[in-house]
Amino acid sequence: MHFGSDNESGASPRVLEALARANDGAESAYGDDAYTRRAVEALKDVFRCDLDAFFVSTGTAANGLALSCLVQPWQSILCHAQAHVLLDESTGPELFTGGARLLPISAGDGKLRPDHLARHFETAGSHPPHNPVAAALSVTQVSENGLVYTPEELAALCGEAHRRGLTVHMDGARFSNAVAALGCAPADISWKAGVDVLCLGASKNGALAAESVIFFKRDLAATFAHRRKRAGHLASKGRFLGAQFLGWLEGGHWLELARRANERAAELGKGLASLSGVRLAWPVQANEVFAVVPKGWAEEMRAAGAVFFDWYPDVLPPGPPLEKGETLVRFVASFSTEASSVQKFISRARGHPIP
Ligand SMILES: Cc1ncc(COP(=O)(O)O)c(C=O)c1O
């Protein structure tokens, strides 16, 4: 009954097999190897376009390095109030960008919209060098509250960002879950919608530790290799990052894994919604479930072995606030979450534990 994070999962056996295949013999180091080159070609196939791509081993490094290519230290990055780059990466983005400021603009809404950008530009100071100049928008797909941006929503948001002179970064730690949920082409929610740089994460969805930074607007990639090296994120045995992506992407395996995770989350959401005293905070659209539950219930379920985390209460949608004695919790399903584990959890919650 592990629903703490998709980071709690292991790696997909197919990714491990790809790693084992890459283990034989000598290969050029520092990403100048056949596996890395083939992985970049595989990404071109998946996104059906020309692109530049680089591999690193953590999402925080991917986001920070990508953003550092988009902004100067005196500029700002607009983002959602619950953005991972804002709340969950310490001051990594500031470190990588040399001090650029992250500015939340979503004011309690679930997803970013064009009017959030408009409002920011109406109210923000516009007297450089006194005010930070907005230069980039960062949007997370799947969003931090488990919501999926449609191609149309992204096109409207990115269109507005571009009209205002911003480049668009997408934190795609769960991009695969969004593609699986929408049943769209990866291009539809990336470059075709106006995303300039995508951090496509594989670690949460079947890789050991592999993230890619994909530049659809290729001129933005000019300094990336230098930034990655000086930040200590150029892996000497880069072939293993490339190999993970090859095993992950081959034959659509990444989407198969994401579909599995999404299905488990849907089952979990349905089960939770059927319990009295429990309400879903947001609709379940991908592999995360946010629910308002009685604190005592959460304690009992944890005592019974369930793992899930309390979540930022300000992630709640507009509506009834938390009652005293209630708490907001997050459940995450991964490709390795068993249907039986979800059933066990829901039965236990209903008072009929499955041994
Ligand atoms: C939305 C989002 N972005 C990025 C990351 C990547 O972070 P990490 O540096 O832990 O790989 C995570 C991981 O929790 C995440 O949830």
Side-chain angles (χ1 to χ4, degrees), residues 5-7 57-61 63 83-85 88-89 140-144 171-174 203-204 211 288 330:
S5 168
D6 28 15
N7 285 326
S57 57
T58 74
T60 298
N63 283 334
H84 198 269
V85 286
D88 291 298
E89 300 185 1
T140 306
Q141 176 78 307
V142 173
S143 83
E144 281 79 3
D171 175 346
R174 298 189 178 89
S203 308
K204 290 180 189 299
E211 311 283 313
E288 292 170 288
R330 184 190 78 161

Side-chain angles (χ1 to χ4, degrees), residues 14 246-256 259:
R14 279 180 53 181
L246 282 174
W248 191 63
L249 293 173
E250 197 178 35
H253 185 50
W254 63 306
L255 296 178
E256 202 182 293
R259 270 192 293 274

Side-chain angles (χ1 to χ4, degrees), residues 8 36 39 65-66 68 76 129 133 160 165 168-169 180 194 207 230 239 241 262 265 274 289 302 309 311 313 327 349:
E8 291 175 353
T36 301
L65 287 168
S68 73
S76 61
V133 180
E160 184 64 17
V168 180
H169 160 258
R230 87 187 270 273
R239 69 166 124 164
L241 292 174
N262 291 357
S274 73
V289 182
R302 285 180 178 131
F309 297 130
W311 212 245
T327 183

Side-chain angles (χ1 to χ4, degrees), residues 1-354:
M1 300 192 289
H2 268 268
F3 309 115
S5 168
D6 28 15
N7 285 326
E8 291 175 353
S9 62
S12 153
R14 279 180 53 181
V15 170
L16 294 178
E17 283 159 23
L19 275 169
R21 280 196 298 275
N23 195 41
D24 286 338
E27 258 297 336
S28 299
Y30 297 109
D32 185 23
D33 63 88
Y35 296 94
T36 301
R37 278 191 288 278
R38 278 173 50 211
V40 175
E41 292 308 310
L43 287 171
K44 288 181 187 171
D45 265 7
V46 162
F47 285 95
R48 308 225 168 275
C49 69
D50 213 1
L51 50 81
D52 280 327
F54 303 86
F55 302 98
V56 291
S57 57
T58 74
T60 298
N63 283 334
L65 287 168
L67 289 171
S68 73
C69 294
L70 311 187
V71 295
Q72 298 293 339
W74 53 89
Q75 294 182 318
S76 61
I77 301 152
L78 308 182
C79 63
H80 192 276
Q82 275 86 38
H84 198 269
V85 286
L86 179 70
L87 298 184
D88 291 298
E89 300 185 1
S90 181
T91 48
E94 288 85 342
L95 174 74
F96 284 107
T97 60
R101 181 167 302 160
L102 287 152
L103 288 178
I105 58 166
S106 56
D109 289 313
K111 296 188 220 177
L112 287 170
R113 293 188 310 264
D115 59 286
H116 292 131
L117 283 170
R119 202 182 322 141
H120 169 78
F121 282 96
E122 273 160 27
T123 53
S126 55
H127 299 291
H130 305 288
N131 309 118
V133 180
L137 170 74
S138 178
V139 54
T140 306
Q141 176 78 307
V142 173
S143 83
E144 281 79 3
N145 33 29
L147 302 177
V148 175
Y149 288 89
T150 64
E152 295 74 24
E153 286 170 333
L154 282 173
L157 184 62
C158 297
E160 184 64 17
H162 288 151
R163 268 190 293 284
R164 304 227 175 229
L166 310 180
T167 48
V168 180
H169 160 258
M170 177 175 274
D171 175 346
R174 298 189 178 89
F175 183 87
S176 27
N177 301 93
V179 176
L182 292 163
C184 65
D188 295 341
I189 51 169
S190 56
W191 63 273
K192 280 193 181 168
V195 173
D196 299 309
V197 184
L198 166 68
C199 294
L200 169 62
S203 308
K204 290 180 189 299
N205 185 36
L208 268 183
E211 311 283 313
S212 57
V213 182
I214 302 172
F215 289 88
F216 299 114
K217 203 170 183 189
R218 298 182 64 193
D219 54 343
L220 293 171
T223 59
F224 188 92
H226 301 285
R227 294 174 186 277
R228 179 179 58 174
K229 175 66 186 179
R230 87 187 270 273
H233 279 283
L234 176 59
S236 54
K237 295 191 178 178
R239 69 166 124 164
F240 293 115
L241 292 174
Q244 288 180 72
F245 261 87
L246 282 174
W248 191 63
L249 293 173
E250 197 178 35
H253 185 50
W254 63 306
L255 296 178
E256 202 182 293
L257 297 171
R259 270 192 293 274
R260 238 188 266 165
N262 291 357
E263 280 166 19
R264 295 293 87 76
E267 291 159 12
L268 195 54
K270 200 167 159 218
L272 281 162
S274 73
L275 301 172
S276 72
V278 172
R279 60 191 148 95
L280 295 185
W282 298 98
V284 180
Q285 297 184 343
N287 67 323
E288 292 170 288
V289 182
F290 292 82
V292 176
V293 304
K295 282 183 186 158
W297 178 90
E299 276 161 29
E300 267 174 44
M301 292 308 295
R302 285 180 178 131
V307 179
F308 53 93
F309 297 130
D310 288 324
W311 212 245
Y312 306 100
D314 61 343
V315 180
L316 274 178
L322 287 184
E323 302 269 336
K324 208 163 168 254
E326 283 184 335
T327 183
L328 176 67
V329 293
R330 184 190 78 161
F331 302 84
V332 189
S334 79
F335 73 93
S336 65
T337 305
E338 302 276 0
S340 58
S341 178
V342 175
Q343 281 158 13
K344 189 172 163 189
F345 176 80
I346 296 298
S347 303
R348 177 97 215 184
R350 288 205 184 107
H352 303 291
I354 296 177

